[in-house]
Amino acid sequence: MEMLPGMTNLEVAAILHEVADLLEIKGVRFKPHAYRRAAMAIETLPEDVADVAREGRLGDIPGVGRGIAEKIEEIVKTGRLAYLESLRRELPAGVQELIRIEGIGPKKATVLTRDLGIRSIDDLEAAAKAGRIRDLPGFGEKTEQNILAGIRMSRTAKERYLLGYILPIAREIEERLRGLDAVRQVSLAGSTRRRKETIGDLDILAASARPEEVMEAFVALPGVVRVLARGTTKTSVVLATGIQVDLRVVEERQFGAALQYFTGSKEHNIALRKLAIARNWRLNEYGLVDLADNRTIAGEDEAGVYRALGLAWIEPELREDRGELEAARTGTLPDIVGYDAIRGDLHVHTRWSEGVHSIGDMAEAATALGYEYIAICDHAETLHIARGLSPERLANQMREIEQINREGGSVTVLTGTECNIGMDGSVDLPDSVLADLDVVVASVHSGFKQPERAMTERVVTAMHNDHVDIIGHPTGRILLTREPYRIDIAAVAKNAAVLGVLLEIDAFPGRLDLSDVNARLARDAGARFSLGSDAHNRENLRYMEFGVATARRGWLTADDIANTRPLAGLRELLTRR
Ligand code: DGT
Ligand code: CA
Ligand code: CA
Ligand code: ZN
């Protein structure tokens, strides 16, 4: 079966995750963890796992040993995994569904099926409401209430997906639709067009006079596993990854109004519609209409809709009803940083620590992206899990970088580190070493549970070290997985502004840290920024795009971001302290 790029990887990962779940239910130890680790590595793998398997390189993927590599080969070749199927057969029907409810683990699920014959979430809800669960061994009234709450949550909470995984798939679908004869115009819409950090469902808009043909091709796209609803104006499908894709097809003369409407956000649309209502106009996905004479005022192009309402066109990234409409009215929209404005990457890992590729490989990839410079910021020693560098290894690395620069490629490789901020705000390399580095990123990688004041002080203490240039991923969040630690970003930003320390927007899809909202808050407090991909391999350098998206959503201009400057200007900024 032909697949969209990235799709195979996510599918393979999903199978490995399920194996981990089932092993956990069986009470097997250690193995579930191994499967999960492999699954996560494959989710973020920059190349097609099928290609890696074909070339016999599965063993190079971190966390993939011989046993799991064989399983991956089987999945890639046959699309199935016999081992998973046998695990499924061992399981009483229904148990898998039950453990998706928060608060029900493998043990409880087994008791529920064994003692009450519960086989579905509906069964479970009925039993809980009838008070039949509280008397089971290991349960109680409180558990029963928690189960009901968990069921409610599972029914409302829609799963979200990282922008970084969805955007490549979205673009692929967009291009395939663009290739159809029947399609006149096509655009991404919804949160994907606004480049929000996570995506609920994917919205795409097309203009066509022959919508049936477009829908026909859409449901037949590779990777579509289910058709939820099919009509001539709207069709919804589910991809193998589980994400829903809504395609709307409109007439060409309505394309602008529809694009405006389906780009959202909902809050932005509501505020915009108020402006229309105030003029006795009606604004919806079909157009902007004067209610006095039913005349269509705008609809064919999106900018026309804004113009008619007395507004400048607004970049999709700004459409969150956070003051952009007022700014568009008064001509004070920020000149947000462009996707092509970044001249170098200030957070790059190599195989010296937890990365995959050599410094030379990374420099070559940076050249291909048209960069002027990259900063090699491998971890320092105390981060053992990441094979952090001792001062001696760092000195060796600096010699290698010097050699590479002497060979005179078009990219200048800057020396650097991502050192660790300790509990007391100290960093884990001596000043004498830091003084020799071009770029010092300092990040918190442990002790996340400190109270807000202690954490804020800890980071501010690190900023007082004159060698620290950048605070890396300043809130430590991992999207969909780990909450940010408690920290007062406004206070950090104020200090950063005074001390001339940059705050990072880490562009790795699961980080995007600072977030859009925090970046804007920090900018208002006077801080400047540095964008880094946090690349662990060559392909990850492309993640920079998501950092720029976050910066744009945070209203940042090129001037706010250190690495929009040419090398000389960057050096000036880094040494000014
Ligand atoms: P998501 O999917 O949760 O990541 O976020 P969106 O923004 O893509 O939301 P979605 O898919 O529900 O709807 C797509 C766009 O359609 C949304 O951004 C704005 C528009 N829209 C949806 N529902 C409403 C509504 O009730 N009122 C207005 N004015 N616009 C809506
Ligand atoms: Ca959506
Ligand atoms: Ca939608
Ligand atoms: Zn880090």
Side-chain angles (χ1 to χ4, degrees), residues 346-563:
L346 295 180
H347 189 160
V348 173
H349 294 280
T350 70
R351 66 177 182 212
W352 280 80
S353 70
E354 60 180 344
V356 172
H357 290 117
S358 69
I359 299 170
D361 290 338
M362 298 307 275
E364 206 181 282
T367 306
L369 291 176
Y371 282 158
E372 286 178 33
Y373 48 84
I374 53 169
I376 304 301
C377 299
D378 278 310
H379 291 284
E381 200 168 18
T382 60
L383 209 61
H384 297 298
I385 49 159
R387 291 207 312 128
L389 272 61
S390 64
E392 292 71 35
R393 285 184 68 217
L394 184 55
N396 291 338
Q397 186 186 59
M398 289 168 74
R399 268 192 293 280
E400 185 180 324
I401 290 174
E402 204 180 301
Q403 181 58 38
I404 289 172
N405 284 330
R406 240 198 323 270
E407 284 162 15
S410 64
V411 164
T412 299
V413 181
L414 301 172
T415 60
T417 180
E418 179 183 9
C419 57
N420 200 29
I421 303 178
M423 295 299 280
D424 59 357
S426 64
V427 296
D428 58 346
L429 280 172
D431 283 355
S432 58
V433 173
L434 296 178
D436 287 341
L437 294 169
D438 297 315
V439 176
V440 175
V441 179
S443 318
V444 170
H445 290 116
S446 59
F448 299 136
K449 297 244 178 290
Q450 282 184 318
E452 179 173 306
R453 251 193 64 197
M455 182 62 89
T456 306
E457 261 170 41
R458 175 179 172 189
V459 170
V460 171
T461 303
M463 290 195 298
H464 273 94
N465 181 319
D466 283 345
H467 302 295
V468 170
D469 301 304
I470 298 167
I471 298 298
H473 46 72
T475 76
R477 72 166 179 178
I478 306 290
L479 284 164
L480 310 177
T481 303
R482 188 171 83 201
E483 291 293 310
Y485 42 72
R486 290 180 295 263
I487 186 165
D488 181 347
I489 285 298
V492 168
K494 266 183 220 147
N495 281 279
V498 172
L499 295 166
V501 174
L502 304 169
L503 299 183
E504 182 181 63
I505 295 178
D506 185 313
F508 211 77
R511 287 201 183 266
L512 300 180
D513 181 10
L514 294 176
S515 67
D516 50 5
V517 171
N518 276 330
R520 186 162 171 197
L521 190 139
R523 178 189 195 260
D524 291 344
R528 274 188 206 275
F529 303 85
S530 130
L531 263 57
S533 65
D534 206 346
H536 285 56
N537 60 42
R538 280 190 303 240
E539 289 78 6
N540 288 170
L541 289 172
R542 295 192 175 279
Y543 289 162
M544 183 62 82
E545 174 183 5
F546 309 118
V548 178
T550 302
R552 288 164 63 84
R553 291 177 53 85
W555 291 48
L556 303 194
T557 66
D559 198 45
D560 295 321
I561 298 165
N563 45 323

Side-chain angles (χ1 to χ4, degrees), residues 5 117 233 241 252 293 299 342 346 391 414 501:
T233 55
T241 51
E252 228 179 339
D293 54 10
I342 301 299
L346 295 180
L414 301 172
V501 174

